[in-house]
Structure formats: structure tokens, C-alpha cells
Amino acid sequence: MVLNYIWIGFFAIAFLIALVQLGMGNTEVFPAMMNSTFDSARTAFDISLGLTGVLSLWMGIMKIGERGGLVNVLARWLSPVMTRLFPGIPAGHPAFGYMFMNMSANMLGLDNAATPLGLKAMEGLQELNREKDKATDAMIMFLVLNTSGLTLIPVGVMVYRAQMGAAQPMDVFIPILIATTLATLSGILITCMYQRINILNRTLLGLLIGMCAFAGGIMWLSTQVDRETLNTWCTTVANIILFSIIIAFIGMGVRSRVNVYEAFVEGAKGGFETAVRIIPYLVAILVAIGVFRASGAMDFMVDGVGSLIAMCGGDAECVGALPTALMKPLSGSGSRGMMVDAMSTYGADSFVGRLSCIFQGATDTTFYILAVYFGSVGIRNTRHAVQAGLLTDVCGTVAALAVAYMFYG
């Protein structure tokens, strides 16, 4: 429903701004808006087509890991942390398995593949819920962990960057990793405060300290080398991690005597279906954004915010990427459209283009996740879920902004 109003709003505002410009003698505005609809629709299809191969690859690899038992091994390793973050769930409950698979898909940047797993996890959590229309603490913690968007491998962002002509599509890997780690850390702390979970126990405290040390260590390292060397390291480390994950999943499948080829093909089919399924959504949002920009409304908004920031003594260079950050809590497809639009307008390797990618990878879509996940099991009383999710989004946005200026400012 929120995205419906946003979509209508884009066209309504664009039409009003275009009428004003026409009244001022700009007769090119309406032809430009019509041309933008065709160009944006073509761009959306090209992007979706480019995503097909990558989604098929990673969903195939995940299917190998699932059948080979690697997912179960990782779930056992994480069980001490999971049982403390979700004290209301009995140890060994099936919901843990679905939650971990959901988080794994999110960590690989496969947010479209993560949704079905998240819905299964919510069904399991609803079985334990005594008040069927009221969100439990476990549901809210799960939602916030999703909205924090912990992304170890931002596959989708890197593919979009490659599609938009970035010289090194993976050079945002480390900045996104830092921003999403800080967002997740903030989300855990915020939700633990709401739910009065003791974060001083050894397991949780170790997790929080480890996350802080990880983010701090990378940020410190980034100050010790020049920017060109840092970008080279980011690209190299990202490629090593990606290939190591592929080898680990295949190796575990071979060890477990899984037919890795058949498992990969079965998983890859889901990737193709997902890529096709998102075409209408991407076309819808990119056409709306294209019309909004062609009418001059986007420039008016960006210039206004930039002037306000400049009057306050701030750096207005980041303004072009802010639409991505503002759209992110509302709609994943909307924020992807804003990210693509920023890279198309300013360049994939510009500061704005990179910042929009970091915004995209730092957090996830709070209202979409809340509506889909809670709606699927009939939850009406969301308690503190919205507050915790939005506070996490704010922390992730601030972290993304700070990291972008550290690496590219």
C-alpha cells in the first residue's frame, strides 16, 4: 500500500511540475518525459536480464550447501548466539533452520530468494505464539535482523554496478561490509534494549565485541594505505571470499556424496524464476523515477536539499544519493531503482554512484519486510517492531554516509 502511494505520487508530482515548466515556455518537457518511459523500461529489462545469470549461480550454490549439510553445520556453530537472541524459541526448533537460511540468502545479497525462507520462519515462530495477532519478541528480533540487512557478499549491488559500467564493480565491497555490520550491531543493541535481553552474558558480549573489532579493524586499515591501494585490496579480498565460498559449498557437497551438478541446476532454476519475477517491479519503479527526473522534479528536490545542507555548513555532495537512502525502508525495488538512477545520472564510479550503492547494501526494507512477514501470519499488533526497525535504518544510513566519505570523500 505504501509503495502504491509512492508510485502514484511520482507521476502526480511529475505531471504538476511539467505543467509549471510548460507554462514557463519549456515545450520539451512532455516529449522528454515520454522518451524517459521507453528508455527506463528498456533499462529495467536489461538489468533484469543481467541479473538472471548471477541469481541462478548463487541460488544453485546455496542449494548445494543446503543438500551437502554445510548450512546445518553453520547453524550448529551459531546456535549458542541464536538461542540467546531468541530465548523464547526451544533449542532445535525448525524455525532456527529457516531463519538461518533466510539470513544466509541476505548475507549473499539475494534478498528476493530470502523472502520465501523468511515466510517459512515466520510460520514456525507463529506456531509458538500464544497471542496470534500480536508479534512476539522472537518475531521482532528476526524482523530487525532482516531490516539491518547484514550483507557479506552484496551480489546484487555488484551486478548492478557491472551493468552500469563500473570499472571495478566490487570496489564497494568493504565499505558495504563495514556499514552493514554497524547497522546489524545497532539493530541487535536496540532490540535487546527493548526486550531487556542481557547483552552482558559471555556469548552475546563476545559477538558484539567481535563485530565492533571487525568493523573498527577494517576502518583502521583503510587509514593506513592510499585510496588506490585500498580499492585494489577491496576488489582482491572480495574475489577471494566469493571464490572460497563457492569452493567450500561444492567441497561440502562432494564430501556428503551429493550430486552437486543436479543440486546446482535445481537451485539455478529458482534464480531464473526470481529474475523474471522482478522484471515488472523494476520496470514500474524505473519508469516512475524516469518520469519524475525528466519533469525536473528530482533536480528541484536534490537542489533544495543541497542548498539546505550547504546553508548549514555541510557537504552537499552526498545529496544525489539520498533518494536511495530515503526509499530503502519503504521498498527494495524502489531503492534499487533510485540506485540505478543515481549511477546512470552521476556515473557508477562517482561519489554519488558509490554512495547510493553503499546505502543500498547497508540496510533492508523495513516496511516491506514488516508488511509481508507479519501479514503472512496475521500479525496486527507489531509492538516495537517499527521503532526498532527504523532506528536501525537510521544507524545504517549514518554509517554508510561516514564510510563513504572515509573511502571516497
Side-chain angles (χ1 to χ4, degrees), residues 125-137:
L125 295 176
Q126 181 69 339
E127 292 175 3
L128 302 171
N129 190 4
R130 295 180 180 178
E131 300 180 57
K132 297 301 182 181
D133 64 341
K134 184 178 180 180
T136 63
D137 285 350

Side-chain angles (χ1 to χ4, degrees), residues 86-399:
F86 301 92
I89 305 177
H93 193 277
F96 277 127
Y98 286 116
M99 283 194 291
F100 180 75
M101 287 294 293
N102 166 266
M103 293 175 190
S104 298
N106 280 326
M107 288 177 185
L108 293 175
L110 304 175
D111 48 351
N112 293 290
T115 300
L117 297 167
L119 296 179
K120 290 293 291 184
M122 288 299 293
E123 290 176 8
L125 295 176
Q126 181 69 339
E127 292 175 3
L128 302 171
N129 190 4
R130 295 180 180 178
E131 300 180 57
K132 297 301 182 181
D133 64 341
K134 184 178 180 180
T136 63
D137 285 350
M139 288 178 174
I140 295 172
M141 178 64 79
F142 179 57
L143 179 117
V144 171
L145 287 176
N146 269 265
T147 60
S148 67
L150 181 60
T151 306
L152 300 182
I153 312 294
V155 175
V157 172
M158 292 187 290
V159 171
Y160 285 120
R161 285 184 56 74
Q163 291 282 83
M164 299 307 296
Q168 293 290 344
M170 301 179 72
D171 62 0
V172 295
F173 170 75
I174 295 297
I176 289 177
L177 187 58
I178 295 173
T180 191
T181 299
L182 293 175
T184 302
L185 176 63
S186 301
I188 292 174
L189 288 171
I190 290 167
T191 311
C192 284
M193 290 174 63
Y194 268 110
Q195 300 180 0
R196 298 181 181 178
I197 295 175
N198 180 20
I199 62 174
L200 298 180
N201 71 75
R202 185 164 51 187
T203 303
L204 277 184
L205 192 60
L207 171 68
L208 298 177
I209 292 174
M211 294 177 70
C212 289
F214 173 75
I218 295 179
M219 293 174 70
W220 174 82
L221 186 63
S222 67
T223 64
Q224 304 303 305
V225 296
D226 60 84
R227 189 164 300 167
E228 183 177 349
T229 303
L230 183 62
N231 288 338
T232 302
W233 283 11
C234 290
T235 304
T236 303
V237 170
N239 281 287
I240 291 173
I241 291 176
L242 280 170
F243 196 71
S244 298
I245 289 175
I246 293 174
I247 295 300
F249 274 55
I250 294 175
M252 193 66 178
V254 171
R255 182 185 176 189
S256 303
R257 298 182 180 179
V258 172
N259 188 327
V260 294
Y261 180 79
E262 288 186 0
F264 177 85
V265 170
E266 181 182 343
K269 290 178 182 177
F272 176 79
E273 293 168 359
T274 300
V276 172
R277 192 163 57 246
I278 68 174
I279 291 176
Y281 300 98
L282 200 55
V283 169
I285 197 66
L286 281 184
V287 168
I289 293 171
V291 170
F292 191 75
R293 181 175 288 282
S295 71
M298 181 73 80
D299 294 334
F300 179 78
M301 182 184 73
V302 169
D303 291 344
V305 175
S307 299
L308 183 62
I309 292 176
M311 287 173 59
C312 297
D315 184 0
E317 189 178 7
C318 66
V319 173
L322 289 182
T324 304
L326 295 174
M327 183 64 73
K328 187 64 178 180
L330 302 172
S331 164
S333 58
S335 62
R336 279 193 295 271
M338 290 295 188
M339 176 186 68
V340 171
D341 182 72
M343 287 192 286
S344 175
T345 303
Y346 298 94
D349 291 327
S350 66
F351 177 80
V352 171
R354 285 171 167 151
L355 176 57
S356 65
C357 292
I358 300 172
F359 279 145
Q360 178 70 14
T363 59
D364 215 324
T365 51
T366 297
F367 286 105
Y368 171 81
I369 293 173
L370 188 146
V372 173
Y373 284 20
F374 282 178
S376 67
V377 292
I379 296 295
R380 295 183 179 180
N381 183 356
T382 60
R383 299 174 59 210
H384 52 273
V386 175
Q387 299 94 306
L390 290 179
L391 285 172
T392 301
D393 287 335
V394 171
C395 293
T397 299
V398 172

